Amino acid sequence: MTERNLAQFRFARHCKDKLEALNSAYLDGGDAAATALATFDADRDNIEAALRSAGEIAQADADWNALVSEFADASMHIMLVRQTPTERLTTFQHQIRASRILADTEAEGRALCNAALCHEALGQRRVALQELQDAEELQRRCKNDRGLAIVLQNIALTLTGLGDEQSAQSKFKQALDLARSVDDRATQASILANLGTSYAKTQEFDRARECWQNALVLEQERQHRFGMANALGNLGLLAGFQGAHDKALQLHQSALDLHTALGHQTGIAYAHSNIAACYSSLDEMEKAEGHFAKAIEVHRFYGDLSALAVTYYNLALLREKADDHAGAAQSAQEALRLFEKVDDPRKDSAEALIHRLAQGRDGGAHAP
């Protein structure tokens, strides 16, 4: 390396080491997670600049490529709550390239899995599914049960996004068995939360509740506030569906408080959408629309097109309920445009709503 290149390398490694320590502290949950996020925010510009430069400089140099791969691993969790899917995707694409140069099969599998999550968030589900299937093959080749459990869970999430709940549930169960076999409680909690959501979609509500309650227990044991917030939000959804709207509102507000304390913008957006649904059920339309507006702002900024589409669809239902048919039609058209863009089967629900609004009929559709 030249003297200048060596200085860049040392700075990038210093930032990687710092991010790695912060990521570890974040995973400890509780006050450690909040402190880690605050520390990251204070030095974010330097860390992100070092991450970008490492990916751009690394070519055939083994030391740089190893650093790129380590940097991506170190960024995995904190960057999930601080960067957009497009920003994270660049990091993992650099890791895929670096790991292939180094013939590091395990790192390539992790990178493919994480790149797929980014493509999923951007609505590119079929690209994500192919990346995940490639990652599954690599993890099986490495006999890495912990990594395989994570990959299978992400395949299940992609399948549920494509509307294939039965196949998704089968993958979730395989992933859960593997996570339990290696005593990975963090992954167990995540799988249980997502399996519960799939059961709710197939109207198996007792199974959904059991999954979410078990996930909450695991997250409380770990004092992991991000996971606790997700579990509370899921239980709030179930309470709302069963008509306990005041209880649901309380659970969603608790989830919002936790996400806000962590600065997790996507979690904040989902909590606002859930609170909006509660207020709609309580016929407090102005409050409901205000919370939907906050959710839309976050989803649009972070580029989560699937979530944005669902929020617009639910806003259309709210406006229809409030007899604002012009506003409802506008929101439904935007939902349809986004659903089509991300190849989401829920576009059929948006088309049906647009047709009903055009005919001036009262339907009684439910949010997709």
Side-chain angles (χ1 to χ4, degrees), residues 146-160:
R146 188 184 302 272
L148 181 58
I150 294 170
V151 174
L152 289 174
Q153 175 182 210
N154 291 328
I155 289 175
L157 288 169
T158 301
L159 290 170
T160 195

Side-chain angles (χ1 to χ4, degrees), residues 269-299:
Y270 280 115
H272 277 302
S273 286
N274 292 333
I275 290 171
C278 291
Y279 278 127
S280 174
S281 297
L282 295 168
D283 292 327
E284 297 188 49
M285 302 304 184
E286 187 174 343
K287 288 183 179 179
E289 181 139 355
H291 282 282
F292 276 136
K294 291 177 181 178
I296 286 170
E297 181 181 359
V298 175
H299 288 315

